[in-house]
Amino acid sequence: MAENTTDSLMVVSAHAGDFVWRAGGAIALSAARGERVTVVCLSYGERGESAKAWREGKQLAEIKELRRTEAAAAADVLGADIRFLDAGDYPLPESPELIDRLVTVYRETAPTVVLTHTLVDPYNGDHPAAARMALQARILAQAVGYDALGEPLGAPPVFSFEPHQSEMSEFRPDVLLDITEVFEIKRQAMRCLDAQEHMWIYYEDLAARRGVQLERNAGPNLGLLRNSRAEAFVRHYPHVTAKLS
Amino acid sequence: MAENTTDSLMVVSAHAGDFVWRAGGAIALSAARGERVTVVCLSYGERGESAKAWREGKQLAEIKELRRTEAAAAADVLGADIRFLDAGDYPLPESPELIDRLVTVYRETAPTVVLTHTLVDPYNGDHPAAARMALQARILAQAVGYDALGEPLGAPPVFSFEPHQSEMSEFRPDVLLDITEVFEIKRQAMRCLDAQEHMWIYYEDLAARRGVQLERNAGPNLGLLRNSRAEAFVRHYPHVTAKLS
Amino acid sequence: MAENTTDSLMVVSAHAGDFVWRAGGAIALSAARGERVTVVCLSYGERGESAKAWREGKQLAEIKELRRTEAAAAADVLGADIRFLDAGDYPLPESPELIDRLVTVYRETAPTVVLTHTLVDPYNGDHPAAARMALQARILAQAVGYDALGEPLGAPPVFSFEPHQSEMSEFRPDVLLDITEVFEIKRQAMRCLDAQEHMWIYYEDLAARRGVQLERNAGPNLGLLRNSRAEAFVRHYPHVTAKLS
Amino acid sequence: MAENTTDSLMVVSAHAGDFVWRAGGAIALSAARGERVTVVCLSYGERGESAKAWREGKQLAEIKELRRTEAAAAADVLGADIRFLDAGDYPLPESPELIDRLVTVYRETAPTVVLTHTLVDPYNGDHPAAARMALQARILAQAVGYDALGEPLGAPPVFSFEPHQSEMSEFRPDVLLDITEVFEIKRQAMRCLDAQEHMWIYYEDLAARRGVQLERNAGPNLGLLRNSRAEAFVRHYPHVTAKLS
Amino acid sequence: MAENTTDSLMVVSAHAGDFVWRAGGAIALSAARGERVTVVCLSYGERGESAKAWREGKQLAEIKELRRTEAAAAADVLGADIRFLDAGDYPLPESPELIDRLVTVYRETAPTVVLTHTLVDPYNGDHPAAARMALQARILAQAVGYDALGEPLGAPPVFSFEPHQSEMSEFRPDVLLDITEVFEIKRQAMRCLDAQEHMWIYYEDLAARRGVQLERNAGPNLGLLRNSRAEAFVRHYPHVTAKLS
Amino acid sequence: MAENTTDSLMVVSAHAGDFVWRAGGAIALSAARGERVTVVCLSYGERGESAKAWREGKQLAEIKELRRTEAAAAADVLGADIRFLDAGDYPLPESPELIDRLVTVYRETAPTVVLTHTLVDPYNGDHPAAARMALQARILAQAVGYDALGEPLGAPPVFSFEPHQSEMSEFRPDVLLDITEVFEIKRQAMRCLDAQEHMWIYYEDLAARRGVQLERNAGPNLGLLRNSRAEAFVRHYPHVTAKLS
């Protein structure tokens, strides 16, 4: 497929695995269209999402390396560049410095779509922290007066990807993205994350359930679709469009 | 422009003027693409939105005829078919019969997009009543077991168009529709509604304000757009799509 | 006190006792300023709020007469006119006819302030029904084209008075009304309602609690106020004013 | 198991199948404890939820009989009495008469727990209609002055069971009910509903997903639980208890 | 009463008095059942809730000692251990170090129930700050990778106790806890807090009002209960249970 | 006009221009009544709201001086004292020190009304930051134990002025302030802000639109008002009053 030279997807992920479970389909679709895709992992999830490794007696440095390797492999399968900011997790500390590093990525990659966590997640404080920083950095990056390299950013649309316990996180899907054609790629990427095997099934089931809902909301196409797989997103800003659909 | 033979827009309007002020741009865009557009006026707005005529001493039948003529002219300018169900206003009575008449229109026109009022409007009880009936009829029209002519409906997306006092009606725009290219047509259609002259300016200003917001949310196009005109909408069901934007 | 010839208070009460418990202070204040005050009781509360009388073996007609007498006495103490529409309770039926009767009262009394129930009350379906009808009639009464005697109504502010279980009814006070100076009158009016003795203490305590909150929100007067009594209200439309306070 | 002579569960279901998919586990648990369980089906779901039968060319009477037979079999498997009010569906008409019939059941069965639909469901208007009637009838049944046989009802807790598209129906689980021990019974009951085969898998998956969440919220028991199955509910009134847990 | 060796209650209180007014009944009930109860006071409330002492000309150290003595006495009456972290108030500073100290208490006491403030309180910024830290520490304490002594925590249920101005703090009671049998103990504990005499009456009245609501929501027990006293709570996570009630 | 010696208005503005666009009318009205008016600019808006100057190649110090001069001129036109805290913008850093400086201003000026930004603004993170600090400082300033010069503050009412994109900032007007008589002064003050010319028209249009809404909500005065200009506000605490209106 020819490269798409203008569209650019940026994904801000609190931990090394989040982008795979929650946005792997969106990433694969974007990459398949030849777009630039950049995943920013703020931490490796070394403390909060690596229980298995800790129980096996592994040490911090080892666990970080492990998670990094897995995440890099998953990003490779999906077709994305990946950057690790190694800011620490549990808690993921919010700081002007970390936000500034995100501004730099915004200015460099000039995303036309941004994906990140929800602003509410009562099961994981790092997720909202990541979302707050991603949103704040996006605003700063738009200001010509903000002191960072690169051109001021346009105002790209932002979407929250789906948290682990949707209803408790005030996640009411605004968008159902059809990922049927790239679902095998997402499945393969999830398989790169050995540390969280129990998640594989969970997110395969979720994709099927969101697929059923996609079919039920697909309007005139209802009845034509079969075995759809979908990811759900919540939109942060109004959708600018020339055609209602 | 070649006719678009599959897309079909249906607009459910409580009174004779609502579709012009609130969705005239969307209608004109749809018609300009060659789509079928059907406006259903549940009433003429003869009691609640014809103060000028009543103050001039006109009688009920005369006022209904007046509003009908104006609305038909506006629909003609916009490129839409229009039907008047003459169910009465202030209050617009909700009934199974009126809902059934809407089911019939749904089955006949097979809309791929539906526009109607908001479910909340503390300044006008007819608007939410119209929206409730439009939504209920849409569900009934989907059931193969519902006894009406025509094929069961797919599940078309539904949008609420903008009420007169947005914030008081819990109207938070989900979609900003670029109507710049058809704005002159909308302006001309508004001019057909003599009874409500004070609304012309109000809705021209609103289109400009929504246009400013469209530009501010337009992402990479920011700075390219000038003097945009827009209409705002709230989406009722998740957006089904193959590409985030 | 000289009569105030322009201000007019209208209170729409589902049952015979509601206006006393929930708005007795506001009514007494208004009457004390010489304003016209009109209480409309949609029903006597004969089925839903007369448990004591039913348990004593009284019959329907007798209970209605009892509640009417009590409510009339309370209104007299407060300084209000009272009208009984006798529409029945448990359930209070919503109908165009009953709404039309309310329109007639609106047009006749030209209220400058309207009080009624909350739109949410999970413990009593009649209360929201009364509120819906009061609000709908207010809109209809404003339309010159609505066929009823009298001049079209201006758009008077509407307040919900406090329900029995505030938090469960989404009642977040917007206004704390200082009723200290008329509190003895309210107490006396409550004493007219023999059938609901347990309510006397409850609403005296509530007035003291709302009084504490009034003092805590009274700004520069904080510390000057003592033993305040207050009633809480929720405002339905924006406050139009020439001075913030 | 010895019969529990005081506890009584009442389930108000819009259509013949709802109580199985959404509350089959709760019903089976209750029956297993020897409680009285009464399911009230307001309609057979003959128009709105019997697409397969209509497509096979069956007629209305035949379809109603079919759905009745299936639902009765499912109730039998779960251990519940079932009543069919045959009020019609799509739309399910709300009326004082139907509410009165529900009052009669409340008075007769004296439920200590009530289950019904959510008050919001943008995909099915009958569900909220059923919930509104169930809630209204519960309030009426408590009034000694309401004219129906039997003793006035206490105020039993009410729960909404889970709708088909939870997030779109503002369904945020308040309660996760452990149905692991009766899950096979629920599975068997679901199998009685031939007309809706695609639902079997969907609700088995949902039970597993809710089970994962139950384990994640189970506090000190975390880690002890395996392969849990759960149903989610939303509570309408505060939980009255002598012990926080 | 025999000691309950598994249940453990942890209460996180911003100031020295909060746990008494807002959760004294829950604490006394828990202690009466032989459970371990640990109160953590993040500050003494030396600046923000000791107006009387400041007006009497006392100095900071003296006031802290005074509040400490009072709070310790109240905890003793209720049957709870108490710890003072002395982090300062007005404002109560949020920091990783303070959160870490809370993690240590979580790991040590292994609570099965956690009580803290609401996340919203427009009258007191320390209360939401305490709640945010209590919730964040609870999440961290669950992670095996978090570096602190003791076993990773299960996921205990969390409840917000009632703020001073409930409706303004978005406090809608989920749970009404029957504290009738321990109410005299709570009253005695409140009497230990000399600095805030005006609160005694306020919270006795509140307990009675919540008691009335408890009776009204108590279902089949309605009518059996008399003079109940209750405390209200809001639940943060779904209730995991094997029986609806 | 005679000086009003007790009323005092305090306006907390994130950037140098905000107080003009969003509260210029309220300030002018207050000053016209002879009240003390104090505007606190937390920053000059030197990075985030000075795009034009940056594009012209100006440097930081120059831009700050420019904005300061403009804002001082606007304050002078409106009749307000102005203070520049120069805390920096994009991002405006939240700190105990900055909050403490606000406490000092509260204690010194003893405001009877406070105006600031909304707590939500997805387009500008500095605005909610300013609002959080203004609210926190107001609470601290009320505590006799807080160590700052001056008398403890009463609890003045707080209002949020209107953000640039109201609906996206959860801004539902509670108050419509009639600024018709001072509108020319506001217009003149806006003209002092050369750097943001595009805002002049935008806020003139907004004042007219809010004026139309003011007339529509003005009750018995409806029809008397013409060409009103208004500013909208959201109230943070209940309105304490002796008369409903």
Side-chain angles (χ1 to χ4, degrees):
Chain A
M1 186 178 285
E3 189 169 335
N4 174 322
T5 54
T6 53
D7 283 343
S8 169
L9 175 68
M10 175 169 159
V11 185
V12 180
S13 181
H15 310 108
D18 293 327
F19 71 95
V20 187
W21 315 118
R22 311 184 195 295
I27 293 170
L29 271 181
S30 198
R33 283 192 300 261
E35 300 173 19
R36 176 176 192 175
V37 184
T38 311
V39 174
V40 183
C41 286
L42 300 179
S43 81
Y44 296 110
E46 59 268 21
R47 296 196 180 277
E49 310 208 333
S50 307
K52 188 178 161 191
W54 287 101
R55 290 214 193 81
E56 292 169 356
K58 294 199 174 66
Q59 297 302 304
L60 184 60
E62 192 179 5
I63 291 171
K64 287 166 73 168
E65 184 56 33
L66 180 75
R67 300 298 317 264
R68 179 189 182 102
T69 306
E70 289 177 0
D76 195 55
V77 167
L78 295 171
D81 293 328
I82 188 163
R83 302 175 189 203
F84 299 97
L85 301 194
D86 193 14
D89 78 332
Y90 264 61
L92 171 62
E94 289 181 76
S95 71
E97 293 71 29
L98 190 49
I99 292 170
D100 185 67
R101 293 176 69 187
L102 284 171
V103 172
T104 304
V105 184
Y106 272 109
R107 289 264 178 101
E108 178 198 336
T109 64
T112 51
V113 172
V114 178
L115 307 182
T116 189
H117 295 268
T118 49
L119 285 166
V120 173
D121 187 339
Y123 294 95
N124 193 311
D126 292 358
H127 294 164
R132 283 191 297 265
M133 289 190 283
L135 289 167
Q136 171 74 320
R138 172 184 166 280
I139 291 174
L140 299 181
Q142 295 178 54
V144 61
Y146 188 88
D147 191 17
L149 288 178
E151 286 301 298
L153 188 70
V158 183
F159 300 85
S160 286
F161 41 64
E162 183 158 2
H164 200 61
Q165 297 203 34
S166 309
E167 300 94 344
M168 299 306 296
S169 303
E170 303 176 8
F171 186 85
R172 204 201 71 143
D174 288 331
V175 180
L176 294 169
L177 180 69
D178 188 343
I179 62 165
T180 312
E181 65 173 283
V182 296
F183 187 63
E184 280 310 312
I185 298 175
K186 175 171 183 178
R187 191 197 303 261
Q188 194 181 334
M190 292 197 288
R191 289 296 187 279
C192 298
L193 303 178
D194 283 338
Q196 296 171 286
E197 277 186 50
H198 58 290
M199 305 284 266
W200 302 351
I201 303 300
Y202 193 85
Y203 281 91
E204 288 180 22
D205 283 354
L206 179 60
R209 192 165 58 91
R210 293 298 181 202
V212 169
Q213 293 173 355
L214 178 143
E215 294 174 5
R216 187 140 179 198
N217 288 282
N221 300 316
L222 191 71
L224 305 180
L225 300 171
R226 284 286 181 282
N227 294 315
S228 300
R229 294 296 182 276
E231 283 175 349
F233 297 89
V234 165
R235 183 186 285 282
H236 283 245
Y237 295 92
H239 185 198
V240 170
T241 185
K243 184 175 192 304
L244 297 173
S245 68
Chain B
M1 185 178 286
E3 190 169 335
N4 175 321
T5 54
T6 54
D7 282 343
S8 168
L9 174 67
M10 176 170 158
V11 184
V12 180
S13 182
H15 310 108
D18 293 327
F19 71 95
V20 186
W21 316 117
R22 312 185 195 295
I27 292 170
L29 273 181
S30 199
R33 284 192 300 263
E35 299 173 20
R36 176 176 192 175
V37 184
T38 311
V39 174
V40 183
C41 287
L42 300 179
S43 80
Y44 296 109
E46 59 267 22
R47 296 192 180 280
E49 311 207 332
S50 307
K52 186 179 162 191
W54 287 101
R55 290 213 193 83
E56 293 169 355
K58 293 201 175 65
Q59 297 301 305
L60 184 60
E62 193 180 3
I63 291 170
K64 288 166 72 167
E65 183 56 33
L66 181 74
R67 303 296 318 263
R68 181 190 181 103
T69 304
E70 288 176 1
D76 195 55
V77 167
L78 295 172
D81 293 327
I82 188 164
R83 303 176 187 202
F84 300 97
L85 301 195
D86 194 13
D89 77 332
Y90 265 60
L92 171 62
E94 288 181 77
S95 71
E97 292 71 30
L98 189 50
I99 292 170
D100 186 67
R101 293 176 69 186
L102 284 172
V103 172
T104 303
V105 184
Y106 272 109
R107 289 266 177 99
E108 178 198 335
T109 64
T112 52
V113 171
V114 178
L115 307 181
T116 190
H117 294 268
T118 49
L119 285 166
V120 173
D121 187 338
Y123 295 94
N124 194 311
D126 293 357
H127 295 165
R132 285 191 296 266
M133 289 190 283
L135 290 167
Q136 170 75 319
R138 173 184 166 278
I139 292 174
L140 299 181
Q142 295 177 56
V144 60
Y146 187 88
D147 191 17
L149 287 178
E151 286 301 298
L153 189 70
V158 183
F159 300 86
S160 286
F161 40 64
E162 183 158 0
H164 199 61
Q165 298 204 33
S166 308
E167 301 94 344
M168 300 305 296
S169 303
E170 304 176 10
F171 185 85
R172 205 200 71 144
D174 288 331
V175 181
L176 293 169
L177 180 69
D178 188 343
I179 62 165
T180 312
E181 65 171 281
V182 295
F183 187 65
E184 281 309 312
I185 298 174
K186 177 171 182 178
R187 191 197 302 261
Q188 193 182 335
M190 292 198 288
R191 290 296 186 280
C192 298
L193 303 178
D194 284 336
Q196 295 171 287
E197 277 186 49
H198 59 290
M199 305 283 267
W200 302 351
I201 303 300
Y202 193 86
Y203 280 92
E204 287 180 22
D205 283 353
L206 179 60
R209 191 165 58 91
R210 292 299 181 202
V212 170
Q213 294 173 354
L214 178 145
E215 293 174 6
R216 189 141 178 197
N217 287 282
N221 300 317
L222 193 71
L224 305 181
L225 301 171
R226 284 288 180 281
N227 294 316
S228 299
R229 294 297 181 276
E231 283 175 349
F233 297 90
V234 165
R235 183 185 286 282
H236 283 246
Y237 295 91
H239 185 198
V240 170
T241 185
K243 184 175 193 303
L244 297 173
S245 69
Chain C
M1 184 177 285
E3 189 167 335
N4 175 322
T5 53
T6 53
D7 281 344
S8 168
L9 175 67
M10 176 169 157
V11 184
V12 180
S13 181
H15 311 108
D18 293 327
F19 71 95
V20 186
W21 316 117
R22 311 185 196 294
I27 292 170
L29 273 180
S30 200
R33 283 191 300 262
E35 299 172 20
R36 177 176 191 174
V37 184
T38 311
V39 174
V40 182
C41 285
L42 301 178
S43 81
Y44 296 108
E46 59 267 23
R47 295 193 180 280
E49 310 208 333
S50 308
K52 186 179 162 193
W54 287 101
R55 290 213 192 83
E56 292 170 355
K58 293 202 176 61
Q59 297 303 303
L60 183 61
E62 193 179 2
I63 291 172
K64 287 167 73 168
E65 184 55 33
L66 180 75
R67 302 297 318 262
R68 180 190 182 103
T69 304
E70 289 177 0
D76 194 55
V77 167
L78 295 172
D81 293 327
I82 188 164
R83 303 176 188 203
F84 299 97
L85 300 195
D86 193 14
D89 78 330
Y90 265 60
L92 170 62
E94 289 181 77
S95 71
E97 293 71 30
L98 190 50
I99 291 170
D100 185 67
R101 292 177 69 186
L102 284 171
V103 172
T104 303
V105 184
Y106 273 109
R107 289 266 176 100
E108 179 198 334
T109 64
T112 52
V113 172
V114 178
L115 307 181
T116 190
H117 294 268
T118 48
L119 284 166
V120 173
D121 187 339
Y123 294 95
N124 193 312
D126 292 357
H127 294 165
R132 283 191 297 266
M133 289 190 283
L135 290 167
Q136 170 74 321
R138 173 183 166 279
I139 292 173
L140 299 181
Q142 294 178 55
V144 60
Y146 188 87
D147 191 17
L149 287 178
E151 287 301 297
L153 189 70
V158 182
F159 299 86
S160 286
F161 41 63
E162 182 157 1
H164 200 61
Q165 298 202 34
S166 308
E167 300 95 345
M168 300 306 296
S169 303
E170 303 177 9
F171 186 84
R172 205 200 71 145
D174 287 331
V175 181
L176 293 170
L177 180 69
D178 188 342
I179 61 165
T180 312
E181 64 172 283
V182 295
F183 188 62
E184 281 310 311
I185 298 174
K186 176 171 182 177
R187 191 197 302 262
Q188 193 181 334
M190 291 198 289
R191 290 297 188 276
C192 298
L193 303 177
D194 285 336
Q196 294 172 287
E197 277 186 50
H198 58 290
M199 305 284 267
W200 302 350
I201 303 302
Y202 193 86
Y203 280 92
E204 288 181 19
D205 283 353
L206 180 60
R209 190 163 60 90
R210 291 300 181 199
V212 169
Q213 294 173 354
L214 178 144
E215 294 174 6
R216 188 141 179 195
N217 287 284
N221 301 315
L222 192 70
L224 305 181
L225 300 171
R226 285 287 182 282
N227 294 316
S228 299
R229 295 296 182 277
E231 283 175 349
F233 297 89
V234 165
R235 184 186 285 283
H236 282 245
Y237 295 92
H239 185 197
V240 170
T241 185
K243 183 175 192 306
L244 297 173
S245 69
Chain D
M1 184 177 285
E3 189 168 335
N4 174 321
T5 53
T6 53
D7 282 343
S8 168
L9 175 67
M10 176 168 156
V11 184
V12 180
S13 181
H15 310 109
D18 293 327
F19 71 96
V20 186
W21 315 117
R22 311 185 195 294
I27 293 170
L29 272 180
S30 199
R33 284 192 301 263
E35 299 173 19
R36 176 176 191 175
V37 184
T38 311
V39 173
V40 183
C41 286
L42 300 178
S43 81
Y44 296 109
E46 60 267 22
R47 295 193 181 280
E49 309 206 335
S50 307
K52 186 179 161 191
W54 287 100
R55 289 213 193 84
E56 292 169 356
K58 294 202 174 61
Q59 297 302 304
L60 183 61
E62 194 179 2
I63 290 171
K64 287 165 73 167
E65 184 55 32
L66 181 74
R67 301 298 316 262
R68 179 189 182 103
T69 306
E70 288 177 0
D76 195 55
V77 167
L78 295 171
D81 292 328
I82 188 164
R83 302 176 189 203
F84 299 97
L85 301 195
D86 193 13
D89 78 331
Y90 265 62
L92 171 62
E94 289 181 77
S95 71
E97 293 71 30
L98 190 50
I99 291 170
D100 185 68
R101 293 177 68 186
L102 284 171
V103 172
T104 303
V105 184
Y106 272 109
R107 289 266 176 100
E108 178 198 335
T109 64
T112 51
V113 172
V114 178
L115 307 181
T116 190
H117 295 268
T118 48
L119 285 166
V120 174
D121 187 339
Y123 294 95
N124 194 312
D126 292 357
H127 294 165
R132 283 192 296 265
M133 289 190 282
L135 289 167
Q136 170 75 318
R138 173 184 166 279
I139 291 174
L140 300 181
Q142 295 177 55
V144 60
Y146 188 88
D147 191 17
L149 286 178
E151 286 301 298
L153 189 69
V158 183
F159 300 86
S160 286
F161 40 64
E162 182 158 1
H164 200 62
Q165 297 203 35
S166 308
E167 300 95 343
M168 299 306 296
S169 303
E170 302 176 9
F171 185 85
R172 205 200 70 143
D174 288 330
V175 181
L176 294 169
L177 180 69
D178 188 342
I179 62 165
T180 312
E181 65 172 283
V182 296
F183 187 64
E184 280 310 311
I185 298 174
K186 176 170 182 177
R187 193 198 302 261
Q188 193 181 335
M190 291 199 288
R191 290 297 187 279
C192 298
L193 304 178
D194 284 339
Q196 295 172 287
E197 277 188 48
H198 58 289
M199 304 284 267
W200 301 351
I201 302 300
Y202 193 86
Y203 281 92
E204 288 181 20
D205 283 353
L206 179 59
R209 191 164 59 90
R210 292 298 180 200
V212 169
Q213 294 173 354
L214 178 143
E215 293 174 5
R216 188 140 179 196
N217 287 284
N221 301 316
L222 192 71
L224 305 181
L225 300 171
R226 284 288 181 280
N227 294 316
S228 299
R229 294 296 182 277
E231 282 174 350
F233 297 89
V234 165
R235 182 186 287 282
H236 283 245
Y237 295 92
H239 185 198
V240 170
T241 185
K243 185 176 192 304
L244 296 173
S245 68
Chain E
M1 185 176 285
E3 190 168 335
N4 175 322
T5 54
T6 53
D7 282 343
S8 169
L9 175 67
M10 175 169 159
V11 185
V12 180
S13 182
H15 311 108
D18 293 328
F19 72 95
V20 187
W21 316 117
R22 312 183 195 296
I27 292 170
L29 272 180
S30 199
R33 283 191 301 262
E35 300 173 20
R36 176 176 193 175
V37 184
T38 309
V39 173
V40 183
C41 286
L42 300 179
S43 81
Y44 297 109
E46 60 268 22
R47 296 193 180 278
E49 310 209 331
S50 308
K52 188 180 160 191
W54 287 100
R55 291 214 192 82
E56 292 169 357
K58 294 201 175 62
Q59 297 302 304
L60 184 61
E62 193 179 2
I63 291 171
K64 287 166 72 168
E65 184 55 33
L66 180 75
R67 302 297 319 263
R68 180 190 181 102
T69 304
E70 289 178 0
D76 195 55
V77 166
L78 295 172
D81 293 328
I82 188 163
R83 303 175 187 203
F84 300 97
L85 301 195
D86 193 14
D89 78 330
Y90 264 61
L92 170 63
E94 289 182 77
S95 71
E97 294 70 30
L98 189 50
I99 292 170
D100 186 66
R101 292 177 69 187
L102 284 172
V103 172
T104 304
V105 184
Y106 272 110
R107 288 267 177 99
E108 178 198 336
T109 64
T112 51
V113 172
V114 178
L115 307 182
T116 190
H117 294 269
T118 48
L119 285 167
V120 173
D121 187 339
Y123 294 95
N124 193 311
D126 293 356
H127 294 165
R132 283 191 296 265
M133 289 190 282
L135 289 167
Q136 171 74 319
R138 173 183 167 279
I139 291 174
L140 300 180
Q142 295 177 55
V144 60
Y146 188 88
D147 191 16
L149 287 178
E151 287 301 299
L153 189 70
V158 183
F159 300 85
S160 286
F161 41 63
E162 182 158 0
H164 199 61
Q165 298 202 35
S166 309
E167 300 95 344
M168 298 306 295
S169 304
E170 304 177 8
F171 185 84
R172 206 202 69 147
D174 287 332
V175 181
L176 293 169
L177 180 69
D178 188 343
I179 61 164
T180 311
E181 65 172 283
V182 296
F183 187 64
E184 281 309 312
I185 298 175
K186 176 171 182 176
R187 191 197 303 262
Q188 193 182 334
M190 291 197 290
R191 291 296 187 276
C192 299
L193 303 178
D194 284 338
Q196 295 172 286
E197 277 187 49
H198 59 291
M199 305 283 268
W200 301 350
I201 303 300
Y202 193 86
Y203 280 93
E204 288 181 19
D205 284 354
L206 180 60
R209 190 164 60 92
R210 292 299 181 202
V212 169
Q213 293 172 354
L214 178 142
E215 294 174 6
R216 187 139 179 197
N217 287 283
N221 300 316
L222 192 70
L224 303 182
L225 300 170
R226 285 287 181 280
N227 294 317
S228 299
R229 293 296 181 278
E231 283 174 349
F233 297 90
V234 164
R235 183 187 285 283
H236 282 245
Y237 294 92
H239 185 198
V240 170
T241 185
K243 184 176 191 305
L244 297 173
S245 69
Chain F
M1 184 176 288
E3 190 168 334
N4 175 322
T5 54
T6 52
D7 281 344
S8 169
L9 175 67
M10 175 169 159
V11 184
V12 181
S13 181
H15 311 108
D18 293 327
F19 71 95
V20 187
W21 316 117
R22 313 185 194 294
I27 292 170
L29 272 180
S30 199
R33 284 191 301 261
E35 299 173 21
R36 176 177 192 174
V37 184
T38 312
V39 172
V40 183
C41 286
L42 300 178
S43 80
Y44 297 109
E46 59 268 21
R47 296 194 181 280
E49 310 207 333
S50 307
K52 187 179 161 192
W54 287 101
R55 289 213 194 83
E56 293 169 357
K58 294 202 173 63
Q59 297 302 304
L60 183 61
E62 192 179 3
I63 291 171
K64 287 167 74 167
E65 185 55 32
L66 181 75
R67 301 298 317 263
R68 179 189 182 101
T69 305
E70 289 177 359
D76 195 56
V77 167
L78 295 171
D81 293 328
I82 188 164
R83 303 175 188 204
F84 299 97
L85 302 195
D86 193 14
D89 78 330
Y90 264 62
L92 170 63
E94 289 181 76
S95 71
E97 293 71 30
L98 190 49
I99 292 170
D100 185 67
R101 293 176 69 186
L102 284 172
V103 172
T104 303
V105 185
Y106 272 110
R107 288 265 177 101
E108 178 198 336
T109 64
T112 51
V113 172
V114 178
L115 307 182
T116 190
H117 294 269
T118 49
L119 286 166
V120 173
D121 187 340
Y123 294 94
N124 194 312
D126 293 356
H127 294 165
R132 283 191 298 265
M133 289 189 283
L135 290 167
Q136 171 74 319
R138 173 183 166 279
I139 291 174
L140 299 180
Q142 295 177 56
V144 60
Y146 187 89
D147 191 16
L149 286 177
E151 287 300 299
L153 189 70
V158 183
F159 301 85
S160 287
F161 41 62
E162 183 158 0
H164 199 61
Q165 298 203 35
S166 309
E167 300 93 344
M168 299 307 295
S169 303
E170 303 176 9
F171 186 85
R172 205 201 69 143
D174 288 331
V175 181
L176 293 169
L177 180 69
D178 188 342
I179 61 165
T180 312
E181 66 173 282
V182 295
F183 187 64
E184 280 309 312
I185 298 174
K186 176 170 182 178
R187 192 198 302 260
Q188 194 182 334
M190 292 198 289
R191 290 297 187 278
C192 299
L193 304 177
D194 283 338
Q196 295 172 288
E197 276 187 48
H198 59 290
M199 304 284 266
W200 302 351
I201 302 300
Y202 194 85
Y203 280 92
E204 288 181 20
D205 283 353
L206 180 60
R209 191 165 58 90
R210 292 299 181 201
V212 169
Q213 293 173 355
L214 178 143
E215 294 174 6
R216 188 141 178 194
N217 286 284
N221 301 316
L222 191 72
L224 305 181
L225 301 170
R226 284 287 180 281
N227 294 316
S228 300
R229 293 296 182 277
E231 283 175 349
F233 298 89
V234 164
R235 182 186 286 283
H236 283 245
Y237 295 92
H239 184 198
V240 170
T241 186
K243 184 175 192 305
L244 297 173
S245 68

